[in-house]
């Protein structure tokens, strides 16, 4: 088949003067290659033909384009009249192509946006993030996006391949004050003076060389500078930074707004010198920093990996299991599987799925055009025969029918542009991003529209043009012409493709929603109903004692209110990202029970009321008690922690010592496993340490009085923390937010699956309408011979049920392999739902039979005396 197609292509384009000689040479080479396998020989033949497709060998195609203006006007007039005469087919073609093209372009714009992350920097392909990976017994374990503060400086000093390096720290939040206004900022990052040598953001005010050199300096984005200072010159102005700094900072620069398509977003930069006292220049104990390097353009990563391993051992010790590694910044958003990312990464698999959806929709629309055009071949046969009799050659006829395809696709392109502009706000809302303000003034979008107008015209119009121009005038004018079997087989094959694509999209939509529903309905092992999470403000080091007393009084007041059941404290609120927790990557063991084990253990802090507030039970032992002075070096562990150490009996570890690094802590209790974050991740092996002055509170409100409790929370907060805005959220809302991306993915699938079904049924409506009209006389004869309306409809159904059965055999395995792979990315997932896949097939069957049945019914109920006149 491959060789046959290549031969036909060669015969079509090659100049007749060279055709026979080259064809013989190709055949000789093919016979030689057959010795190595027939399939290999066919593909080599195909590639050789492609190489020969060059100007010196291509024949003239002038016959396809008649330079006579009168003839061109005749083609244009004839084509326009034909389109207007067959209004149903024309409307279906234009509407289907317009919706398909608009859907394809909008999805392509979203895909382009997702793939453009961090590629806007001038030397984006040279910028890498310095990360830290754990290797145990030669295998990579936990991969951490963060690294140590001195690491970037060391790399700059010791690796000649590193041109520039910068180290940053991302705050969870900081409180700023401007005059009487107190603002909570969540996009604040520290940066050193090399930051703008790595990332070439546009500088609007200030000097990139000096504006981050001095301590307590601020660089604002353009919109943030306008927010704080309006039309005033921000340079030299001051802002007060409360909390852990509690001092004024001076604005030294303004840069362009950080684009949406970057993984490392910020609104405010604080000079790195502002936190030097806190981190220390040679602190190799804390890897909570994001470091980036710009490599020489000729640098190779493979030799660098060996150098990074040597540097890791040099600075972290020969026995270390943590090693430095480089990761391309441009790959972070879609491909990263590292923990502690600056923001939740996107999904490369979702992008691939969306690209497939867009191609399916465009394919279905093009299939409609081909099916309707070739099915109507009988009606155009006499026109073609007459044109050939009066001298028209095949090339001119192809040009005529391609011109009709141009008209249809041009109208469809204009309509697609209009549809895209109208639907853009809804599409932006659907994907959760502001992709474009408009489409009509965006050159990349318009260029894509033009490219796919040209491609769509060729793809949808070329085959029908070949079919229509290939009729034999003698057979046509004698009335012997019938639709070719090859054309009927092609139409059936294309219908199968439509049905299969529709089944895949509907089944995928069902499975996505079922998985999201499963995660939202699964028992997390934690009670989140009417539980409010409150983030407490940060303070400077010298104010901890006063702050702790204030937090204790605030907590006690809430605890004693009639609308509050209980108040607990924790270092990180449940329902956050997977990185909202501390971790320890060294060795750990239960003294006298287990050997030392290397791996990542997660560390959380809580007070003695946290577990009861969110109703997490203890399986053994007891919890913390703030009234016991001995409860200082004690710890709780969860079930997963014990399973990792191969301990089955939870009671057996009570009062045993667990050794974490240089500390020995007594295990006083075992906590039942609970999911603190999305069900995409497994429950981590975790230890819990006591902290009675936590960073966050969880407040359990009484359901019947929760509004009163919220009001009291806000009132009391304003009394105790007047300089900090209240930042609270319900825990169930926090968990629901974790699945927003999956929910959005399902919504996108559902929307465009619906469009695909609509376009497919639109085409089927037109095709079945034409087929029913073509068989009007047959229907009349059957009725005269006694056939009933249901039996006539059943005859038409028989052909379509066969096509639907074939589409099911194709689509169901495709759904399984595609969506089962997607489900594998979830730690907690549903089994593959075959019933939902079959349900998707039945939905397509229902709509197909409904569409066909409606058209056939309209013909079947006609009086035979009228229908037989069609002969």
């Amino acid at each position: 088949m491959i060789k046959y197609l290549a031969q036909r292509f060669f015969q079509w384009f090659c100049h007749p003067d060279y055709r026979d000689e080259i064809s013989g040479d190709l055949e000789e080479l093919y016979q030689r290659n057959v010795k190595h396998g027939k399939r290999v020989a066919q593909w080599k033949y195909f590639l050789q033909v492609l190489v020969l497709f060059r100007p010196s060998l291509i024949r003239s195609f002038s016959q396809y384009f008649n330079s006579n203006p009168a003839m061109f006007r005749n083609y244009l007039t004839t084509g326009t009249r034909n389109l207007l005469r067959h209004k149903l087919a024309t409307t279906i073609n234009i509407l289907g192509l317009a919706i398909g093209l608009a859907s394809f372009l909008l999805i392509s714009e979203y895909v382009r946006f997702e793939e453009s992350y961090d590629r806007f920097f001038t030397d984006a392909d040279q910028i890498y993030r310095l990360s830290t990976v754990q290797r145990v017994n030669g295998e990579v374990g936990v991969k951490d996006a963060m690294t140590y503060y001195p690491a970037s400086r060391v790399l700059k000093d010791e690796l000649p391949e590193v041109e520039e390096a910068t180290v940053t720290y991302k705050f969870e939040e900081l409180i700023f004050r401007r005059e009487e206004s107190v603002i909570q900022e969540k996009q604040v990052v520290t940066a050193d003076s090399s930051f703008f040598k790595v990332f070439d953001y546009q500088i609007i005010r200030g000097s990139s060389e000096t504006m981050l050199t001095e301590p307590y300096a601020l660089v604002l984005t353009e919109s943030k500078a306008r927010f704080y200072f309006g039309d005033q010159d921000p340079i030299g102005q001051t802002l007060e930074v409360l909390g852990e700094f509690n001092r004024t900072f001076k604005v030294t620069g303004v840069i362009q707004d950080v684009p949406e398509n970057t993984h490392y977003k910020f609104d405010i930069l604080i000079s790195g010198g502002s936190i030097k006292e806190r981190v220390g220049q040679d602190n190799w104990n804390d890897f909570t920093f994001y470091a980036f390097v710009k490599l020489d353009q000729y640098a190779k990563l493979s030799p660098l990996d060996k150098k990074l391993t040597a540097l890791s051992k040099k600075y972290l010790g020969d026995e270390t299991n943590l090693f430095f590694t480089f990761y391309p910044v441009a790959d972070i958003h879609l491909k990263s599987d590292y923990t502690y990312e600056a923001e939740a990464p996107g999904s490369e698999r979702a992008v691939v799925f969306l690209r497939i959806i867009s191609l399916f929709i465009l394919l279905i629309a093009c299939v409609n055009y081909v099916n309707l055009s070739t099915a109507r071949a009988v009606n155009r046969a006499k026109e073609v025969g007459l044109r050939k009799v009066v001298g028209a050659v095949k090339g001119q006829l192809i040009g005529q029918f391609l011109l009709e395809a141009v008209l249809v696709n041009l109208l469809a392109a204009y309509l697609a542009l209009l549809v895209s502009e109208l639907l853009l706000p809804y599409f932006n809302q659907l994907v959760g991003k502001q992709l474009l303000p408009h489409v009509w003034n965006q050159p990349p979008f318009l260029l894509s529209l033009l490219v796919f107008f040209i491609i769509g015209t060729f793809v949808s119009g070329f085959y029908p043009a070949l079919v229509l121009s290939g009729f034999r005038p003698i057979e046509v004018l004698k009335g012997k012409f019938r639709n070719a079997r090859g054309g009927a087989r092609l139409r059936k094959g294309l219908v199968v493709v439509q049905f299969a694509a529709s089944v895949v999209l509907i089944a995928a939509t069902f499975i996505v929603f079922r998985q999201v529903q499963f995660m939202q309905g699964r028992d997390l092992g934690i009670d989140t109903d009417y539980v409010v999470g409150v983030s407490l403000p940060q303070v400077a080091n010298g104010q901890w004692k006063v702050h702790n007393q204030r937090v204790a009084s605030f907590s006690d007041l809430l605890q004693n209110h009639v609308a509050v059941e209980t108040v607990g404290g924790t270092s990180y609120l449940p329902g956050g990202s997977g990185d909202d927790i501390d971790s320890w990557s060294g060795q750990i063991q239960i003294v006298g029970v287990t050997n030392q084990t290397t791996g990542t253990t997660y560390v959380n802090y809580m007070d003695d009321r946290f577990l009861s507030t969110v109703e997490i039970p203890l399986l053994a032992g007891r919890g913390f008690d703030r009234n016991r002075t001995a409860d200082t070096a004690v710890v709780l562990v969860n079930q997963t922690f014990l399973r990792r150490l191969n301990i089955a009996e939870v009671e057996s570890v009570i009062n045993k010592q667990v050794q974490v690094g240089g500390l020995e802590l007594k295990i006083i209790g075992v906590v039942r496993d609970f999911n603190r974050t999305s069900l995409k991740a497994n429950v981590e092996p975790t230890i819990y340490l006591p902290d009675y002055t936590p960073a966050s509170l969880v407040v359990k409100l009484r359901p019947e009085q929760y509004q009163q409790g919220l009001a009291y929370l806000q009132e009391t907060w304003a009394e105790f923390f007047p300089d900090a805005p209240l930042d609270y959220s319900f825990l169930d809302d926090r968990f629901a937010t974790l699945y927003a991306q999956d929910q959005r993915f399902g919504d996108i699938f559902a929307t465009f699956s619906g469009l695909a079904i609509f376009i497919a049924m639109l085409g089927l409506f037109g095709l079945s309408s034409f087929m029913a009209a073509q068989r009007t006389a047959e229907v009349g004869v059957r009725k005269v011979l006694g056939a009933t309306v249901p039996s006539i409809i059943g005859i038409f159904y028989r052909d379509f049920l066969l096509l639907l059965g074939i589409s099911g055999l194709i689509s169901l395995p495709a759904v399984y392999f595609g969506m089962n792979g997607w489900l594998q990315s979830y730690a907690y997932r549903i089994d593959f739902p075959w019933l939902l896949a079959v349900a998707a097939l039945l939905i397509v069957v229902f709509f197909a039979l409904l569409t066909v049945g409606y058209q056939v019914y309209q013909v079947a109920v006609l009086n035979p005396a009228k229908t037989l006149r069609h002969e």
Side-chain angles (χ1 to χ4, degrees), residues 196 404 426 433 497 539 575 605 750 830:
F196 292 110
E404 291 185 17
Y426 304 100
K433 298 179 186 291
V497 170
V539 295
Y605 299 84
I830 58 174

Side-chain angles (χ1 to χ4, degrees), residues 263-315:
H263 85 284
Y264 203 53
K265 298 179 177 66
F266 60 87
D267 295 322
I268 299 174
L269 290 176
I270 288 179
S271 57
S274 307
I275 62 169
K276 274 187 178 180
E277 293 181 1
R278 188 174 74 177
V279 299
Q281 285 294 297
D282 297 305
N283 182 0
W284 291 98
N285 296 317
D286 179 18
F287 56 104
T288 57
F289 299 87
Y290 293 103
F292 303 90
V293 299
K294 182 179 178 182
L295 299 182
D296 178 85
Q297 60 178 325
Y298 302 110
K300 303 295 183 183
L301 286 183
S302 296
L304 273 175
D305 284 339
K306 297 179 180 178
K307 294 183 179 181
L308 288 175
T309 298
L311 284 175
S312 302
K313 292 183 177 181
K314 177 179 178 180
Y315 288 96

Side-chain angles (χ1 to χ4, degrees), residues 96-156:
L97 287 171
I99 295 175
L101 187 56
S103 301
F104 177 84
L105 290 173
L106 287 174
I107 293 177
S108 297
E109 191 63 31
Y110 173 73
V111 170
R112 184 201 63 77
F113 179 84
E114 288 289 291
E115 293 177 342
S116 71
Y117 264 66
D118 294 306
R119 298 183 187 274
F120 54 84
F121 298 113
T122 303
D123 300 314
D125 58 337
Q126 296 174 234
I127 302 174
Y128 292 79
R129 183 182 63 203
L130 177 64
S131 304
T132 311
V133 299
Q134 182 186 66
R135 293 180 192 155
V136 181
N137 299 324
E139 295 184 1
V140 176
V142 175
K143 297 188 284 186
D144 197 324
M146 294 180 174
T147 192
Y148 301 89
Y149 183 83
S152 63
R153 172 176 53 82
V154 166
L155 264 61
K156 178 71 165 60

Side-chain angles (χ1 to χ4, degrees), residues 187-411:
Q187 297 284 4
V188 184
V189 168
T190 67
D192 58 24
S193 56
S194 299
F195 185 80
F196 292 110
K197 296 177 182 177
V198 177
F199 301 105
D200 55 345
Y201 287 105
Q202 180 185 349
I203 309 297
I204 297 175
R205 301 293 305 275
S207 168
S208 62
E209 299 290 334
T210 61
M211 58 189 184
L212 286 172
T213 55
E214 296 296 324
Y216 310 115
L218 294 177
V219 174
L220 307 179
T221 59
E222 187 176 12
S223 60
K224 193 57 68 173
R226 192 179 302 112
F227 172 79
Y228 279 109
F229 303 106
D231 295 331
Q232 299 179 45
D233 183 0
I235 303 300
Q237 301 270 18
T238 61
L239 287 173
E240 190 174 359
V241 183
L242 305 178
E244 60 183 276
F245 290 103
N246 201 27
R247 60 161 298 146
T248 58
F249 280 64
K250 184 171 70 173
V251 179
T252 57
V254 178
I255 65 170
Q256 69 178 108
D257 285 347
V258 176
E260 178 69 21
N261 56 336
T262 177
H263 85 284
Y264 203 53
K265 298 179 177 66
F266 60 87
D267 295 322
I268 299 174
L269 290 176
I270 288 179
S271 57
S274 307
I275 62 169
K276 274 187 178 180
E277 293 181 1
R278 188 174 74 177
V279 299
Q281 285 294 297
D282 297 305
N283 182 0
W284 291 98
N285 296 317
D286 179 18
F287 56 104
T288 57
F289 299 87
Y290 293 103
F292 303 90
V293 299
K294 182 179 178 182
L295 299 182
D296 178 85
Q297 60 178 325
Y298 302 110
K300 303 295 183 183
L301 286 183
S302 296
L304 273 175
D305 284 339
K306 297 179 180 178
K307 294 183 179 181
L308 288 175
T309 298
L311 284 175
S312 302
K313 292 183 177 181
K314 177 179 178 180
Y315 288 96
L316 302 178
D318 290 334
E319 302 301 320
T320 185
N321 61 6
L322 297 176
F323 296 89
F324 302 137
T325 186
F326 287 141
Y327 197 87
V329 166
D331 290 344
I332 290 174
H333 177 64
L334 287 182
K335 299 180 180 180
S336 173
D337 57 351
Y338 282 63
T339 60
Y340 295 100
E341 284 290 358
E343 71 172 18
S347 170
E348 186 178 28
R349 188 187 295 271
V351 167
V352 171
F353 279 1
L354 290 177
R355 194 187 293 278
I356 292 173
I357 289 176
S358 66
L359 290 173
F360 274 179
I361 293 175
L362 196 58
L363 175 66
I364 289 171
C366 290
V367 164
N368 285 348
Y369 185 91
V370 173
N371 274 345
L372 290 176
S373 297
T374 54
R376 288 170 41 235
V378 177
N379 293 347
R380 307 293 300 273
K382 289 186 178 180
E383 174 192 343
V384 172
L386 287 172
R387 286 187 179 276
K388 283 193 170 184
V389 167
V390 297
V393 297
K394 184 174 182 178
Q396 292 172 330
L397 292 170
I398 289 176
Q400 174 191 346
F401 295 123
L402 278 176
L403 179 61
E404 291 185 17
V406 168
L407 290 175
V408 171
N409 280 271
L410 186 61
L411 290 171

